[in-house]
């Protein structure tokens, strides 16, 4: 099911508020960071024009050409983002499958695609995708901290009497931002677009006013200025490239939010509003420095007349809150996808809008990110210091995106390798250059987002690996439906006229909960449904293709429900669909859902290291309640215990 077409103008306005918040607030700190701090550039005409030339061509090549022209072609039924790209890069066979089985009900959410996982090429693709996704969390923690700090620091231009209040004020604003996440963005989101239109209009006008005074700054449009800058400054110019990269952070958001707004609105918003406004402001800051070098302390705010300074600080604060809101919401969406694909344990996911399925709130992610943001603000205290930590996560993700895009171009789009290599090789060279320029930042704070990314990637791979291990052990214990039917012919269990739905992992075998029920109670429900949820590599599965039903025996059915990785399973609705297809399990209120409460113990299985198994068991024990996750009425759920040693 493709994303429904939306009116271009409203979607374009909405995209301005959600998609471009991060990249749209970069003028607050990006240009200034090139000239402020140890090892930075001296303010001279050659340096200013060289930096502006780098900014212009970075925006054109990375955002306009790479993301808007090429990466956004790699849509998965209209959806974008690194996990969607990963799913496209995986070979066309059954790619990702999420099932319900004994390990599910014991808070283990499996990705039952072990056959695919064993393929080395596929494993590398999955690892790249997971690492890229994990790094976005690190970026999501830094963005609110640096954006809000840079906005509040504008007060210093008017007076330094309130410098001591910058950090406390930033923390208060950040706390309010994270506190209100639980209310969702459905209502406030309508204000984001108009607010960002005002923001882009203001920064563009401020830039024009300065350019009119010093029009010679427009010479920076010539790429020769960038080449001369590198020739004159050598290694220093290379390190500055890592700072210039700040102007394109947020480029991944264009791709990640494609499913919400569509390609055309995102492209229109960029070329008609965002790109012109950003370039005017950056060039305006450059013109200001060439007329007044003392403005280097904060060229963005020095563009404004004194009477407009406080209103500009307030507008910048609103813009940075919007930018932060967008990145936080993106982390919620990413978490939801990872859970559905089986790379994270179940967590509480709350839908905050009745009309928009993508509006979700994940409490544990929200408050973990807030803790990280607070730690960064207290540790770095200024946006200049945070700029040193910014960039490593995003550059690494951009490199991964280009690599996965090459795989998709060759395998999915059937591009000739000799055509794909030079085309995408150009983007890879740019990405690698930015990555290398950011490497020196690792010791100055760039280690933080990398640490977050590596840690989360390790958690995801541990969860997926442990789930496969548990699933394999459970299948060894399981028996086939045919064997159970033969056993029942001997034991002759009594038939209970009541509906039982058992959650199971595949289209073969019988779940442990059903085996225990029959053997211990010598009873068999009538009717019985063995229900499997299969999560596919596409984001949406249309309702008419949702259900597969196979009759196993008299009154005994196997049901497979197909969902996309952006859809959340709803088991009662599956039962209703079965009724529409001629299999009536009776009234929903009279159905009993059987789950197996699996207790995991760390044993001597050699498939995983002991300490990694301990992590997996801890994750499993703290996963969300399956009844709530699958929309099951708690009073209709029966759990049967099973112990398993891994």
């Amino acid at each position: 099911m493709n994303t429904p077409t939306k009116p271009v103008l409203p979607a374009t306005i909405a995209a301005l508020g959600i998609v471009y918040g991060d990249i749209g607030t970069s003028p607050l700190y990006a240009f200034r960071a090139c000239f402020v701090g140890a090892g930075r550039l001296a303010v001279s005409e050659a340096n200013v024009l060289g930096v502006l030339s780098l900014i212009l061509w970075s925006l054109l090549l990375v955002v306009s050409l790479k993301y808007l022209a090429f990466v956004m072609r790699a849509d998965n039924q209209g959806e974008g983002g690194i996990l969607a790209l990963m799913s496209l890069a995986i070979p066309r066979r059954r790619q990702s499958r999420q099932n319900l089985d004994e390990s599910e009900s014991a808070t283990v959410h499996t990705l039952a695609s072990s056959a695919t996982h064993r393929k080395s090429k596929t494993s590398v693709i999955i690892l790249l995708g997971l690492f890229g996704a994990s790094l976005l969390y690190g970026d999501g923690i830094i963005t609110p901290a640096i954006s809000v700090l840079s906005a509040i620091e504008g007060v210093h231009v008017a007076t330094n009497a309130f410098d001591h209040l910058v950090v406390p004020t930033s923390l208060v604003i950040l706390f309010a931002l994270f506190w209100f996440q639980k209310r969702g963005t459905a209502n406030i989101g309508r204000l984001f677009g108009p607010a960002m239109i005002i923001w882009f209009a203001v920064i563009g006008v401020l830039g024009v006013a300065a350019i009119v005074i010093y029009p010679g700054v427009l010479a920076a449009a010539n790429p020769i200025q960038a080449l001369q800058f590198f020739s004159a400054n050598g290694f220093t110019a290379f390190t500055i490239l890592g700072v210039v990269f700040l102007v394109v952070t947020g480029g991944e958001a264009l791709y990640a939010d494609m499913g919400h707004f569509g390609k055309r609105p995102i492209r229109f918003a960029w070329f008609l509003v965002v790109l012109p406004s950003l370039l005017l402001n950056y060039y305006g800051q450059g013109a200001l420095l060439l007329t007044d070098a003392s403005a280097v302390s904060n060229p963005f705010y020095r563009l404004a007349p004194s009477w407009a300074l406080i209103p500009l600080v307030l507008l910048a604060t609103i813009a940075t809150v919007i930018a932060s809101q967008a990145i936080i919401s993106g982390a919620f969406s990413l978490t939801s996808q990872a859970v559905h694909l089986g790379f994270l344990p179940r967590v509480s996911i709350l839908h905050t809008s009745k009309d928009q399925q993508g509006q979700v709130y994940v409490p544990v992610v929200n408050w973990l990110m807030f803790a990280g943001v607070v730690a960064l603000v207290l540790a770095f205290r200024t946006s200049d210091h945070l700029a040193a930590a910014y960039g490593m996560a995003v550059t690494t993700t951009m490199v991964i995106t280009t690599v996965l895009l090459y795989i998709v171009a060759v395998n999915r789009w059937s591009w000739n390798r000799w055509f794909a290599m030079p085309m995408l090789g150009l983007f890879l060279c740019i990405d690698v250059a930015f990555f290398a320029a950011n490497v020196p930042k690792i010791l100055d704070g760039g280690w933080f987002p990398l640490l977050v990314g590596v840690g989360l990637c390790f958690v995801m791979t541990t969860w997926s690996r442990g789930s496969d291990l548990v699933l394999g052990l459970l299948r060894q214990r399981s028996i086939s439906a045919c064997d159970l039917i033969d056993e029942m012919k001997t034991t002759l269990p009594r038939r209970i006229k009541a509906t039982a739905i058992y959650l199971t992992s595949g289209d073969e075998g019988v779940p442990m909960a059903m085996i225990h029920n029959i053997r211990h109670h010598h009873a068999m429900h009538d009717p019985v449904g063995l229900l499997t949820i299969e999560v596919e590599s596409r984001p949406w599965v249309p309702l008419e293709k949702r259900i597969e039903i196979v009759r196993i025996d008299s009154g005994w059915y196997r049901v497979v429900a197909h969902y996309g990785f952006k859809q959340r399973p709803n088991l009662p609705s599956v039962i209703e669909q079965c009724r529409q297809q001629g299999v009536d399990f009776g009234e929903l209120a009279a159905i009993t859902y059987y789950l197996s409460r699996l207790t995991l113990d760390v044993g001597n299985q050699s498939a995983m290291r002991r300490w990694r198994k301990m992590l997996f068991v801890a994750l499993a024990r703290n996963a969300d309640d399956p009844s709530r996750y699958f929309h099951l009425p708690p009073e209709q759920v029966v759990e049967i215990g099973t112990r398993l040693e891994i």
Side-chain angles (χ1 to χ4, degrees):
M1 180 178 69
N2 293 324
T3 304
T5 302
K6 301 177 182 179
V8 174
L9 181 59
T12 301
I13 295 175
L16 285 171
I18 301 298
V19 178
Y20 292 107
D22 187 3
I23 200 170
T25 53
S26 296
L28 284 165
Y29 49 82
F31 185 74
R32 173 194 180 195
C34 295
F35 298 93
V36 176
R40 295 302 186 233
L41 295 171
V43 177
S44 68
E45 183 175 21
N47 287 342
V48 170
L49 294 181
V51 168
L52 290 176
S53 185
L54 286 174
I55 289 174
L56 168 65
W57 291 101
S58 296
L59 290 172
L60 292 179
L61 292 175
V62 175
V63 180
S64 301
L65 187 59
K66 175 187 172 181
Y67 278 96
L68 293 179
F70 284 92
V71 176
M72 288 182 67
R73 289 191 60 195
D75 66 291
N76 193 341
Q77 290 188 327
E79 294 293 330
I82 189 111
L83 290 181
L85 184 61
M86 179 191 75
S87 66
L88 285 175
I90 294 174
R92 293 175 182 267
R93 295 166 299 171
R94 183 175 59 188
Q95 297 167 9
S96 55
R97 185 173 173 186
Q98 171 203 57
N99 295 305
L100 306 176
D101 60 1
E102 289 76 8
S103 59
E104 280 285 357
S105 57
T107 66
V108 177
H109 204 95
T110 70
L111 179 68
S113 56
S114 55
T116 304
H117 276 247
R118 294 190 189 103
K119 301 296 183 181
S120 58
K121 180 179 178 180
T122 302
S123 298
V124 170
I125 292 173
I126 291 176
L127 184 61
L128 285 174
L130 293 183
F131 187 49
S134 300
L135 288 169
L136 293 178
Y137 287 94
D139 178 49
I141 294 174
I142 293 181
T143 295
I146 191 173
S147 298
V148 174
L149 271 175
S150 61
I152 303 301
E153 286 169 352
V155 177
H156 177 78
V157 177
T159 176
N160 57 9
F162 301 104
D163 285 359
H164 64 288
L165 296 178
V166 169
V167 170
T169 303
S170 298
L171 290 176
V172 170
I173 292 173
L174 289 166
F175 174 76
L177 172 65
F178 282 90
W179 174 262
F180 282 102
Q181 290 301 312
K182 61 184 178 182
R183 301 182 182 274
T185 60
N187 294 321
I188 194 172
R190 299 189 184 100
L191 303 176
F192 284 3
M196 290 306 292
I197 289 178
I198 296 173
W199 167 257
F200 286 118
V202 169
I203 67 173
V205 169
L206 291 176
V208 168
I211 293 172
V212 169
I213 297 175
Y214 195 96
V217 74
L218 296 176
N222 190 338
I224 294 178
Q225 295 287 349
L227 297 177
Q228 292 176 345
F229 173 75
F230 274 101
S231 176
N233 291 279
F235 182 74
T236 300
F238 180 72
T239 60
I240 292 300
L241 189 62
V243 183
V244 170
F245 177 75
L246 296 175
V247 306
V248 297
T249 57
E252 283 286 333
L254 314 184
Y255 181 46
D257 288 320
M258 181 171 59
H260 294 288
F261 305 103
K263 299 176 184 179
R264 291 181 63 196
I266 290 176
R267 287 168 175 160
F268 285 168
W270 173 254
F271 288 109
L272 297 179
V273 179
V274 182
L275 180 60
S277 298
L278 290 178
L279 291 178
L280 288 173
N281 191 266
Y282 283 125
Y283 275 61
Q285 291 186 48
L288 177 63
L289 289 193
L290 293 178
T291 56
D292 180 9
S294 66
V296 70
S297 60
N298 204 319
F300 175 81
Y301 282 108
R302 291 287 293 272
L303 284 174
S306 57
W307 60 265
L309 184 59
I310 299 303
L312 183 59
V313 170
L314 295 176
L315 179 60
T317 302
I318 294 172
T320 55
V321 167
I322 291 174
S324 303
Q325 170 66 55
I327 200 75
I328 296 168
S329 299
F332 295 159
S333 177
L334 187 63
T335 301
S336 177
Q337 291 182 34
V339 169
H340 296 341
L341 285 169
F343 291 115
L344 283 176
R346 287 189 307 269
V347 294
S348 176
I349 300 175
L350 308 178
H351 289 265
T352 58
S353 173
K354 296 180 180 179
D355 303 320
Q356 301 182 38
Q357 189 171 5
Q359 297 280 353
V360 296
Y361 168 64
V362 186
V364 64
V365 173
N366 184 69
W367 294 113
L368 284 176
M369 289 183 66
F370 174 69
V373 169
V374 170
L376 285 180
V377 171
L378 294 177
F380 290 89
R381 305 193 72 82
T382 70
S383 61
D384 289 334
H385 293 157
L386 262 176
Y390 206 17
M392 278 306 304
V394 185
T395 53
T396 308
T397 302
M398 286 185 171
V399 170
I400 293 173
T401 297
T402 303
V403 173
L404 294 179
L405 182 64
Y406 171 80
I407 296 173
V408 171
V410 172
N411 295 339
R412 289 271 179 169
W413 302 341
S414 300
W415 282 17
N416 185 288
R417 293 181 184 272
W418 296 109
F419 174 75
M421 282 184 180
M423 286 293 296
L424 300 180
L426 170 65
F427 300 140
L428 187 61
C429 288
I430 297 173
D431 294 335
V432 170
F434 278 130
F435 174 82
N438 276 277
V439 168
K441 294 183 179 183
I442 292 178
L443 296 180
D444 294 327
W447 57 267
F448 177 80
L450 290 179
L451 181 64
V452 172
V454 170
L456 281 173
C457 185
F458 183 77
V459 168
M460 289 184 180
T461 54
T462 297
W463 183 256
S464 179
R465 175 68 173 162
S467 298
D468 286 341
L469 174 61
V470 168
L471 182 59
L473 294 173
L474 289 171
R475 283 176 173 170
Q476 292 176 11
R477 291 188 175 189
S478 180
I479 64 174
S480 69
C482 292
D483 290 341
L484 184 60
I485 291 173
D486 291 339
E487 180 180 320
M488 289 191 299
K489 290 178 180 178
T490 303
T491 58
L492 297 176
R494 57 193 176 90
R495 302 301 290 258
I496 302 173
K497 287 297 181 181
T499 302
I501 300 295
Y502 292 90
L503 278 64
T504 181
S505 63
D507 52 9
E508 297 179 1
V510 179
M512 296 299 298
M514 183 174 179
I515 296 173
H516 289 322
N517 214 7
I518 293 175
R519 290 178 177 175
H520 290 278
H521 298 101
H522 305 289
M524 174 80 170
H525 289 79
D526 187 11
V528 173
L530 304 185
L531 178 57
T532 300
I533 300 295
E534 183 172 299
V535 175
E536 300 186 5
S537 60
R538 48 181 172 166
W540 312 101
V541 174
L543 197 61
E544 61 271 16
K545 297 183 179 180
R546 179 70 46 81
I547 303 296
E548 292 181 21
I549 304 175
V550 176
R551 182 178 180 273
I552 299 175
D553 197 12
S554 176
W556 184 1
Y557 302 90
R558 188 180 299 277
V559 180
V560 179
H562 300 267
Y563 283 87
F565 62 77
K566 294 202 71 173
Q567 296 172 299
R568 185 170 177 180
N570 186 312
L571 302 195
S573 69
V574 171
I575 303 303
E576 281 291 344
Q577 277 194 269
C578 291
R579 190 197 313 273
Q580 296 171 10
Q581 295 191 21
V583 177
D584 190 356
F585 287 108
E587 295 296 326
L588 290 177
I591 295 176
T592 302
Y593 299 91
Y594 283 90
L595 312 177
S596 294
R597 170 64 64 176
L598 186 63
T599 301
L600 297 175
D601 294 322
V602 177
N604 298 319
Q605 293 286 338
S606 60
M608 292 176 65
R609 294 184 180 274
R610 182 176 180 84
W611 58 270
R612 200 173 185 188
K613 287 189 286 188
M614 293 175 65
L615 172 61
F616 173 75
V617 171
L619 291 171
R621 289 175 179 170
N622 288 279
D624 192 35
D625 179 17
S627 299
R628 180 168 56 248
Y629 184 84
F630 295 111
H631 299 93
L632 297 178
E635 66 277 4
Q636 294 175 234
V637 175
V638 175
E639 295 184 348
I640 299 178
T642 301
R643 183 174 293 274
L644 186 67
E645 185 178 276
I646 62 173

